[in-house]
Amino acid sequence: MPHAPLDLLLLPTWLVPVEPAGVVLHEHGLGIRGGRIALIAPRAEALQHAALQVLELPGRLLTPGLINAHGHAAMTLFRGLADDLPLNIWLEQHIWPAEAKWVNEQFVQDGTELAIAEQLKGGISCFSDMYFFPEMACELVHKSGIRAQISIPVLDFPIPGARDASEALRKGLGLFDDLRHHPRLSVAFGPHAPYTVSDDKLENIRVLAEELDAGIHMHVHETAFEVQQSLEQHGERPLARLARLGLLGPRFQAVHMTQIDDEDLALLVTSNSSVIHCPESNLKLASGFCPVDRLWQAGVNVAIGTDGAASNNDLDLLGETRTAALLAKAVAGSAMALNAHSALRMATLNGARALGLDQQIGSLELGKAADLTVFDLNGLAQQPVYDPVSQLLYAGGRACTEHVWVGGKQLLDGGQLTRLDEQRIIANARAWGAKIAGK
């Protein structure tokens, strides 16, 4: 039987599949059918296939959708609230009091919607979120069409939406059951950090994660102080403590990891845990430098995240990836460390692998979900184009983002959101800003 027509045939000047690594396909077509990638072929061959819609993309680069592997979406409403402060002062004297005063379900709804809109406009098709009222974030993800991992926040003290860790886990399990078969949503456990979650709660999370085959998303080794505090209180480094408790493994997503010694590296390698690098937040808070090239050379899966806009101050994953590439070179003392193609892999396939989604997304391969981003490289500042990936990373920016599809559904068309009302979202954010600032 002949194949049904393609739903959509994209014809970009350049197509970067990410897998295999380092490949740029010139004048190829990509076909979508039923929300999945059904064809990748040279242009002439691709045009022989019937398609309901054909989109010519001259001077454009087609890549997998970008994956923001760590953030706190609703905190976008705290963007710029407490800048240029050390992490402990920023958290304890500004962010935590603001959260206690302002965070409720409406805050999470409006802040998450703002974050989703910003991310889509920057080429992000999937994000990982860890914040309060996770059920509200799930609703926004479902409605907007984006893909996400939502982590259930767990701390030893009361948080908005949960009186204690036990209640947070109960609600999280209910959410996990409700969304078990959702095509775009996965639920993970989000113990905040080693210094805010006790051993018994961590062991409970380990058991649940094993039973449900769920991810564990956690801030780890964010600062030197955190490591020193753990040595004083537990007689071991935080990562060693987590290893002793059985949390490390392919499901474990270690966010930040700015402090890594030889023993830490060995634990990451042997456990096959992923590291999620957030360079701009770490730089802004002076938290330290994740040794990305060293991790990469050792075979550790390193993904990339923006962190929350309260500490970044944007959700620009393309900019984050550029910073990661430049910083990796400086930290390693080598201009060859983390080249542009490897950096793009961090922002796509490595992110998918960290979130346990690499069989579905992260690269342009037949059968995978059609999560795609198109970048326009026709601009003055992108000329001439020798390597489109280098040009995107080092001379482009999120303003080059033109189209985004998730599961074959177009969520950004010519830079315009197709499902979200941008002006209403801006108005809501301004209203929150005036309220929080006391104006």
Side-chain angles (χ1 to χ4, degrees):
M1 294 290 292
H3 284 300
L6 298 168
D7 299 323
L8 175 63
L9 176 61
L10 303 176
L11 296 167
T13 297
W14 304 282
L15 186 154
V16 175
V18 173
E19 182 62 43
V23 171
V24 177
L25 301 176
H26 189 255
E27 296 294 351
H28 275 59
L30 182 144
I32 301 170
R33 185 188 296 114
R36 299 199 167 271
I37 299 170
L39 172 74
I40 299 176
R43 177 186 174 92
E45 180 183 334
L47 282 168
Q48 295 176 13
H49 291 256
L52 301 179
Q53 181 185 0
V54 177
L55 185 58
E56 292 279 1
L57 297 166
R60 272 74 165 189
L61 168 63
L62 176 62
T63 75
L66 303 181
I67 298 172
N68 185 357
H70 175 68
H72 311 283
M75 291 185 80
T76 309
L77 291 178
F78 290 142
R79 190 197 320 259
L81 179 65
D83 283 336
D84 306 317
L85 295 169
L87 176 63
N88 61 326
I89 294 175
W90 177 79
L91 265 179
E92 295 168 14
Q93 296 181 25
H94 296 273
I95 295 302
W96 285 349
E99 287 179 330
K101 183 174 183 179
W102 296 110
V103 174
N104 55 27
E105 288 182 291
Q106 191 63 50
F107 178 98
V108 172
Q109 177 176 318
D110 292 342
T112 301
E113 191 171 36
L114 174 63
I116 289 172
E118 180 181 351
Q119 290 182 100
L120 285 171
K121 293 198 73 170
I124 295 167
S125 61
C126 176
F127 71 102
S128 177
D129 189 43
M130 176 201 278
Y131 207 60
F132 311 123
F133 297 105
E135 60 280 357
M136 185 59 65
C138 288
E139 285 185 26
L140 267 295
V141 170
H142 176 74
K143 183 177 78 171
S144 68
I146 201 168
R147 193 181 303 275
Q149 171 188 272
I150 304 298
S151 301
I152 307 303
V154 180
L155 297 91
D156 279 344
F157 43 84
I159 59 174
R163 290 163 292 185
D164 53 30
S166 297
E167 183 178 6
L169 286 172
R170 276 198 309 275
K171 288 186 172 182
L173 290 172
L175 204 54
F176 189 94
D177 286 340
D178 290 345
L179 299 170
R180 186 185 298 270
H181 302 296
H182 196 285
R184 291 180 286 102
L185 263 166
S186 58
V187 177
F189 294 99
H192 170 260
Y195 57 88
T196 55
V197 187
S198 59
D199 282 9
D200 60 327
K201 299 297 188 303
L202 291 173
E203 289 177 330
N204 192 10
I205 288 169
R206 174 187 59 78
V207 171
L208 292 172
E210 287 178 355
E211 288 178 356
L212 300 172
D213 192 24
I216 301 174
H217 189 86
M218 188 177 195
H219 304 98
V220 187
H221 288 213
E222 186 171 1
T223 64
F225 175 75
E226 174 195 331
V227 176
Q228 184 58 39
Q229 184 183 53
S230 180
L231 287 168
E232 293 170 0
Q233 294 180 356
H234 302 282
E236 57 190 344
R237 293 168 70 84
L239 197 70
R241 175 174 160 233
L242 297 175
R244 174 173 55 78
L245 294 171
L247 269 75
L248 302 191
R251 300 184 196 88
F252 192 75
Q253 306 158 21
V255 181
H256 295 304
M257 292 303 296
T258 68
Q259 316 293 316
I260 297 178
D261 65 12
D262 290 345
E263 288 75 18
D264 298 327
L265 182 59
L267 286 173
L268 291 169
V269 171
T270 56
S271 66
N272 200 22
S273 298
S274 289
V275 168
I276 298 171
H277 179 36
C278 303
E280 292 183 3
S281 179
N282 294 154
L283 286 167
K284 186 163 180 279
L285 294 169
S287 299
F289 310 113
C290 177
V292 170
D293 189 61
R294 190 177 177 211
L295 293 171
W296 191 280
Q297 298 301 327
V300 176
N301 182 59
V302 185
I304 192 158
T306 59
D307 208 349
S311 66
N312 185 318
N313 294 32
D314 57 42
L315 305 180
D316 179 0
L317 197 72
L318 203 55
E320 199 82 30
T321 305
R322 181 186 186 202
T323 299
L326 298 177
L327 186 62
K329 298 173 192 303
V331 170
S334 168
M336 297 176 68
L338 197 65
N339 64 40
H341 285 263
S342 296
L344 181 62
R345 192 179 183 92
M346 279 177 54
T348 53
L349 188 56
N350 285 14
R353 180 179 168 193
L355 305 183
L357 298 173
D358 52 311
Q359 297 303 306
Q360 301 177 50
I361 60 170
S363 58
L364 304 184
E365 300 181 72
L366 295 179
K368 281 196 170 185
D371 287 18
L372 317 168
T373 298
V374 171
F375 297 103
D376 185 354
L377 300 185
N378 286 301
L380 180 76
Q382 287 76 53
Q383 305 313 313
V385 179
Y386 300 112
D387 179 341
V389 175
S390 277
Q391 211 69 338
L392 175 68
L393 205 64
Y394 298 131
R398 64 175 170 177
C400 295
T401 307
E402 190 171 42
H403 305 295
V404 175
W405 289 266
V406 175
K409 306 291 186 185
Q410 190 164 16
L411 304 185
L412 190 75
D413 184 359
Q416 300 300 309
L417 297 164
T418 63
R419 293 196 185 184
L420 299 174
D421 183 339
E422 184 170 348
Q423 293 309 310
R424 179 183 58 77
I425 292 169
I426 290 171
N428 283 344
R430 285 177 173 159
W432 273 106
K435 189 189 305 184
I436 291 168
K439 294 179 181 177

